[in-house]
Amino acid sequence: MPRVVDARNLYSEIGPTHMSPAVHGDLERIYVPNLRTDDVYVIDPNAMKVVDRFKVGESPQHVIPSWDLRTLWVANNAERRKTGSLTPIDPTTGKPGQSVPVDDPYNMYFSPDGKSAIVVAEARHRLDFRDPHTMAMQYSIEVPQCGGINHAEFSMDGKYALFTCEFDGAMAKIDMVDHKVLGYLKLTMPSTRIREGFDPSAPGASEICSSKKGMPQDVRVSPDGKLYYVADMEADGVHVVDGDSFKQVGFIPVGIGTHGLYPSRDGKFLYIASRGTHRIHGKRHGPGGVGVLDFATGKIVKYWKIPGGGSPDMGNVSADGKSLWLSGRFDDVVYRIDTTTGDVRQVKVGGEPHGLTVWPQPGRYSLGHTGNLR
């Protein structure tokens, strides 16, 4: 796999000055998959308006940059039907190509060496390793004790990956060398969490956490590669896991329905989206917001509320690091959040936007999801 440039900061190559020659000439766009309307909206971030939209497959979940940065793949998982597909987008034109039939592609990652696309077949409890260009099947890894397998992060050396198990309140550790499950980790719930529907900062917002298991979502690693932060929608914060020993070592409260995780371009902060509810299907204008974690101290140093309420979910940071773009899952909008002031602007999109991607992004290669670049 490509070598780590800075062992103290594995995010060293995603700074604004590290744009790959591979993305030269690509359109500056935000690609938004809409789960309920089976389409992708394309936003010009400078004009702050939708400039294109096109139909894709059934139930598009995420837009995923390929390892070589030359294709953006829309994962249409078809919600437990047998009609899943991947739709390629050419980033130089912003236009879709012919969809490829693929079983249950809820999400997709790429092996650190670039030799495989890893289709996360959530409903099948399975990871399908495929050719990264044709999507022809190579082999599969069954992960039977990982209900709702969906998001992942890779170790600094690329030898293992941690996947979240949304419906089992757990993590799975996958050996990327010998292609097998190394083990499972049940995540410990906190003693308190935020009351459903309450502003996290309001008096009386805290309640005793009666949930027996969490609902882990996104996962990202610390700059030094030692700790993994696991967003938990049921626990209202991030679990902290030591990747090598595969043990939970802490928990940090953030906001109600903690969901998406995105490092800043300098690798100093982690933006943590909380979509304002513990429920899978929430209401409009909930008490959603974004917490800012300082990697160095492990503390939340800022919390930005969505004015009037909202449901920030998945997205990424702009190439210059000045804006955080997130889908408003239950409000049918996209948020652009100023990473200095927390100011929010919105763009109306289709039905139930989910894993949007910002393009182009700096970095040498993509590990998948909505742009986990290194």
Side-chain angles (χ1 to χ4, degrees):
M1 62 172 285
R3 68 182 180 87
V4 174
V5 175
D6 184 349
R8 299 167 300 178
N9 181 16
L10 57 74
Y11 300 119
S12 65
E13 302 309 295
I14 67 165
T17 61
H18 292 275
M19 300 298 288
S20 169
V23 303
H24 179 72
D26 286 0
L27 296 176
E28 189 176 349
R29 295 289 187 264
I30 313 297
Y31 296 92
V32 187
N34 299 294
L35 182 62
R36 283 190 289 106
T37 48
D38 295 340
D39 54 17
V40 169
Y41 276 43
V42 185
I43 297 172
D44 181 330
N46 297 308
M48 283 294 291
K49 67 178 184 181
V50 174
V51 295
D52 196 8
R53 66 191 70 173
F54 46 82
K55 285 289 184 179
V56 288
E58 297 173 274
S59 307
Q61 300 281 3
H62 302 91
V63 177
I64 302 146
S66 62
W67 188 91
D68 62 7
L69 314 180
R70 297 317 313 130
T71 306
L72 306 176
W73 292 97
V74 186
N76 313 300
N77 85 313
E79 298 278 88
R80 296 183 180 273
R81 296 182 291 272
K82 295 182 179 180
T83 49
S85 64
L86 292 168
T87 303
I89 300 173
D90 181 344
T92 64
T93 65
K95 299 297 183 181
Q98 183 65 42
S99 294
V100 180
V102 170
D103 187 28
D104 191 30
Y106 174 80
N107 206 346
M108 187 163 69
Y109 291 85
F110 291 88
S111 59
D113 60 11
K115 294 180 179 179
S116 299
I118 307 170
V119 170
V120 183
E122 180 188 52
R124 316 289 187 241
H125 295 69
R126 196 179 68 218
L127 300 174
D128 291 338
F129 288 68
R130 294 175 175 269
D131 182 281
H133 304 290
T134 68
M135 296 300 157
M137 183 72 83
Q138 296 172 337
Y139 58 90
S140 295
I141 298 176
E142 301 285 342
V143 195
Q145 297 178 48
C146 190
I149 188 169
N150 50 33
H151 298 98
E153 179 63 291
F154 297 83
S155 62
M156 184 178 281
D157 60 11
K159 291 183 178 179
Y160 67 81
L162 300 189
F163 280 79
T164 55
C165 311
E166 179 175 0
F167 304 130
D168 280 329
M171 305 286 292
K173 187 172 185 178
I174 306 297
D175 187 325
M176 294 296 294
V177 178
D178 294 328
H179 313 137
K180 63 182 181 180
V181 178
L182 291 172
Y184 299 92
L185 172 67
K186 188 78 169 180
L187 296 168
T188 302
M189 293 293 281
S191 59
T192 63
R193 67 173 188 176
I194 301 165
R195 294 177 186 270
E196 182 69 29
F198 274 64
D199 180 335
S201 62
S206 180
E207 68 175 0
I208 294 173
C209 182
S210 58
S211 292
K212 301 301 181 184
K213 64 178 180 179
M215 193 178 288
Q217 307 292 322
D218 206 1
V219 51
R220 294 307 294 262
V221 68
S222 60
D224 62 7
K226 296 179 179 179
L227 300 177
Y228 291 74
Y229 296 87
V230 185
D232 193 318
M233 199 167 79
E234 192 78 4
D236 300 339
V238 290
H239 305 281
V240 186
V241 173
D242 182 300
D244 288 351
S245 66
F246 202 37
K247 293 180 179 179
Q248 184 171 345
V249 296
F251 179 81
I252 303 167
V254 183
I256 188 167
T258 304
H259 200 82
L261 306 175
Y262 307 96
S264 61
R265 290 283 165 216
D266 58 8
K268 292 182 178 180
F269 301 102
L270 185 65
Y271 302 118
I272 306 173
S274 296
R275 64 184 192 182
T277 180
H278 304 122
R279 301 188 178 102
I280 293 176
H281 301 290
K283 298 179 180 179
R284 293 179 182 270
H285 311 301
V290 176
V292 183
L293 173 78
D294 184 334
F295 275 125
T297 64
K299 305 292 185 182
I300 301 297
V301 294
K302 297 178 184 177
Y303 190 83
W304 301 318
K305 300 178 185 178
I306 302 298
S311 49
D313 192 285
M314 290 286 173
N316 218 313
V317 181
S318 61
D320 61 11
K322 295 180 180 180
S323 300
L324 173 64
W325 290 85
L326 297 170
S327 59
R329 182 72 177 267
F330 308 126
D331 295 271
D332 297 344
V333 298
V334 163
Y335 308 113
R336 188 189 74 180
I337 302 171
D338 187 300
T339 55
T340 300
T341 65
D343 290 343
V344 180
R345 292 185 64 186
Q346 300 185 12
V347 179
K348 180 71 175 175
V349 292
E352 200 171 341
H354 192 192
L356 69 80
T357 200
V358 178
W359 201 255
Q361 293 181 40
R364 298 172 295 162
Y365 58 96
S366 167
L367 292 175
H369 193 34
T370 57
N372 183 351
L373 271 68
R374 292 201 183 158

